[in-house]
Every structure is written in structure tokens, then in C-alpha cells.
Amino acid sequence: MPASYSSADDVLHVLASLRQHERDGKRSPHKPLLVLLALSRLAETGSSRIPWALAKTRLADLIADFGPPSRTGRAQSAAYPFTRLRSDGVWTLDTDVPMDRVTPLHGGVTGQLESSLERALKDQPDLISTVARSLVDAHFPSTVAPDVLLAVGMDPEAVEAEAALDPAPAPERRRSSTWPAAVLEAWDRQCAFCGFDGQAGGVPVGVEAAHIRWFKLDGPDTLDNGLALCSLHHKLFDRGMLGLDDDMGVVVSQRFSARTPFGRFVYDLHGRRLKPRPGTPEPAAEHVRWHQEQVFHGSPLVST
Ligand SMILES: [Zn+2]
């Protein structure tokens, strides 16, 4: 049964333990997304209450946009964390309903953060930002984390500034300090998808080292798990709008849409093959498969 959470350490500890649900490299951000939505409601309205009528649209949208690709129906995908977060001792429902079932929720069930947890968060407003940052940092790459915060109704810069006042939880793995430069070098300091090679005073600008399998989901800092990508294509790759097929061709998702010529330029990437320079390893098939299964959304623009 729910313990009582009074100190900042208690709150951080119990919410950070939601990380444990990510096993075998399979992404499962459903519960963290619900907690983030509840934190945003708490900051905005003074209460974390979320009626199912709201969760079945807002939470379902968040899961569809930021979760792994899924064939589960939208309401069902929201019902899972809405009912199951109770077993973590941090969430309560005002009606005792069975796990995972959608129909009983339609009777007007409302969820809320466990009361001592909610009180601890209200007593220390900076703690909301600290927990929010800890959750997005644990489950999403830095290209996606600000988008998630914006989508739940928080200001990413404010979260960053307020959370900075508290010590950040120690990272579980250390990133290699030399990997980003090695990846840029291996790909001639240009985007592997579009070829963008901008420099500012001789230094690459807007070209970044991207993990294919996310570092936070056990992706290694190796050259066969890295691509140099421009900032835009890095974000689209991490958001699952761009991907790779088994032949190292770029794939554009049908979910991506743009109207202006610059935006529509992304469509032209579909089918382009990666051309690493001699000596640079192609992305490893296992990392590409992970991205296909855990990140890439929807169907390819043109089926091959
Ligand atoms: Zn690019």
C-alpha cells in the first residue's frame, strides 16, 4: 500500500523507480507520461486531478506522439498507465476499477497523485521541475525531452532553470566524451541524410552526433551506433519521423507532413542510401532494428 512521501528524496526516489519498467531495451514511457501530465496539472491548477475524459484524449495523444510505435487502440493505451500506475503507490483513482479495462473508466473515474506525494510536491514547487526533468531525462533523448515538456504543458526552459537548483540524480552510465567528435569525423562533418555541412568559423554548426539506439536505452557509444545528422534530421530521427531500412536507405514516415518547399524537402530523403566514407562502419543491423521497432512511427512514405 502507498507509503507516505514527505521529503524531496522520497519523492524523487519513488518517481525515478518508474525507470525500472524499461527492460530489454523496450521503451515504456506510458507511466512517466501520465506522471508528467499530472505534474503539469498540479503546477497549473494546484491539483493533479485528471478525469478519464481528459486522459483518454491528452494522455492518448502523448503516448501516440512520444511512445514507441504501437497497434494498441488510443483509449486502451491510455487506460494501461491510468489504471496500472496505482500499483507503484503514486497514483489513486476515486473508483475501484479493474486494471487495463477501458469501459469501467467511462463512468467518470478521476485519477490523482497519491495524497502525501501531492502534498510534498506542493510544499516544494521546485520539486515539480526536478521530478519532471528527471523523468524526461530518463526516458527521452535531449532532442525530444523539450518537446515532451511542451506537450504536457510545461515550459522546458523554466523546468531546466528550476530543476538546476536541485542536485540532478547521478547518471547510470557515463557518456564517452570523444564519441561525438569521432562520429562527426567519420561522416565528414556532414549530415548523413541530407549532406548539410554548415560551419561557423571552421567549426561544424547544426551538425550533431546522433545515437541510432538511444544512449538512455543502452545504446553504445560506438561508431556503428552513430550518425552525423543536422539538427533538424536528428530531431526527426529521434521523433520517429525518419528512419532507416534494412538496406541502409533513409525512410520517411507517412505521419510526417510539411507544406512549404523547405519542409517538403524531407520527403526527398526517402529512399536515399547512406554513403559512409571508406573505413566508416555502416550502422549495425541490431541498432537499426531497435530504431525500427522502438522509435520509427507509422508506415514508410512509399512501401518498398
Ligand atoms: Zn540533414
Side-chain angles (χ1 to χ4, degrees):
M1 278 298 92
S4 181
Y5 308 106
S6 53
S7 75
D9 280 351
D10 288 346
V11 173
L12 269 176
H13 178 76
V14 65
L15 292 174
S17 71
L18 294 176
R19 291 176 196 194
Q20 290 167 1
H21 295 277
E22 301 201 322
R23 295 251 165 84
D24 304 328
K26 289 201 173 72
R27 296 179 55 215
S28 184
H30 308 70
K31 288 177 178 178
L33 286 170
L34 173 55
V35 173
L36 285 163
L37 189 58
L39 291 172
S40 166
R41 300 272 296 172
L42 181 59
E44 193 182 325
T45 69
S47 164
S48 66
R49 285 165 57 84
I50 301 178
W52 170 245
L54 182 80
K56 75 178 183 194
T57 53
R58 287 285 313 272
L59 181 59
D61 282 346
L62 291 168
I63 292 168
D65 287 342
F66 298 106
S70 166
R71 290 195 181 87
T72 307
R74 288 168 50 85
Q76 183 61 56
S77 72
Y80 162 68
F82 197 76
T83 57
R84 289 209 167 251
L85 189 59
R86 287 178 296 179
S87 57
D88 296 87
V90 298
W91 184 247
T92 56
L93 297 180
D94 63 359
T95 310
D96 188 19
V97 292
M99 296 290 189
D100 300 339
R101 300 263 313 277
V102 174
T103 311
L105 294 171
H106 291 326
V109 178
T110 291
Q112 185 162 13
L113 289 173
E114 189 276 332
S115 59
S116 67
L117 182 65
E118 176 149 333
R119 208 173 317 115
L121 287 160
K122 280 173 84 167
D123 288 348
Q124 304 164 79
D126 287 349
L127 194 52
I128 294 179
S129 292
T130 305
V131 171
R133 194 184 67 174
S134 163
L135 280 172
V136 288
D137 282 356
H139 293 272
F140 302 96
S142 57
T143 48
V144 178
D147 297 0
V148 174
L149 290 171
L150 263 183
V152 298
M154 294 175 131
D155 174 352
E157 288 189 21
V159 166
E160 188 61 33
E162 288 164 14
L165 301 173
D166 293 292
E172 287 158 14
R173 285 167 66 213
R174 279 207 166 278
R175 302 178 77 117
S176 157
S177 57
T178 54
W179 181 82
V183 170
L184 291 194
E185 173 94 27
W187 287 88
D188 290 324
R189 294 173 291 282
Q190 61 180 29
C191 176
F193 290 175
C194 72
F196 177 80
D197 64 348
Q199 300 197 345
V203 178
V205 61
V207 186
E208 303 162 354
H211 285 93
I212 298 165
R213 176 170 175 157
W214 295 355
F215 183 82
K216 281 158 191 170
L217 274 294
D218 301 325
D221 279 340
T222 52
L223 285 183
D224 67 4
N225 189 39
L227 289 171
L229 293 178
C230 68
S231 305
L232 175 63
H233 295 145
H234 187 182
K235 176 169 281 230
L236 291 174
F237 189 62
D238 284 349
R239 284 290 299 270
M241 296 296 103
L242 291 176
L244 290 170
D245 65 19
D246 294 341
D247 298 319
M248 300 306 147
V250 180
V251 181
V252 180
S253 167
Q254 285 183 358
R255 292 193 65 190
F256 177 79
S257 144
R259 294 184 296 276
T260 63
F262 182 72
R264 292 170 66 94
F265 172 65
V266 169
Y267 298 145
D268 297 338
L269 299 176
H270 190 83
R272 279 194 193 182
R273 264 196 117 254
L274 298 185
K275 291 197 191 80
R277 71 181 189 183
T280 292
E282 283 199 337
E286 60 177 309
H287 303 319
V288 171
R289 200 174 317 118
W290 181 88
H291 189 275
Q292 291 169 348
E293 290 171 358
Q294 298 297 320
V295 180
F296 186 75
H297 268 255
S299 308
L301 203 53
V302 181
S303 52
T304 48

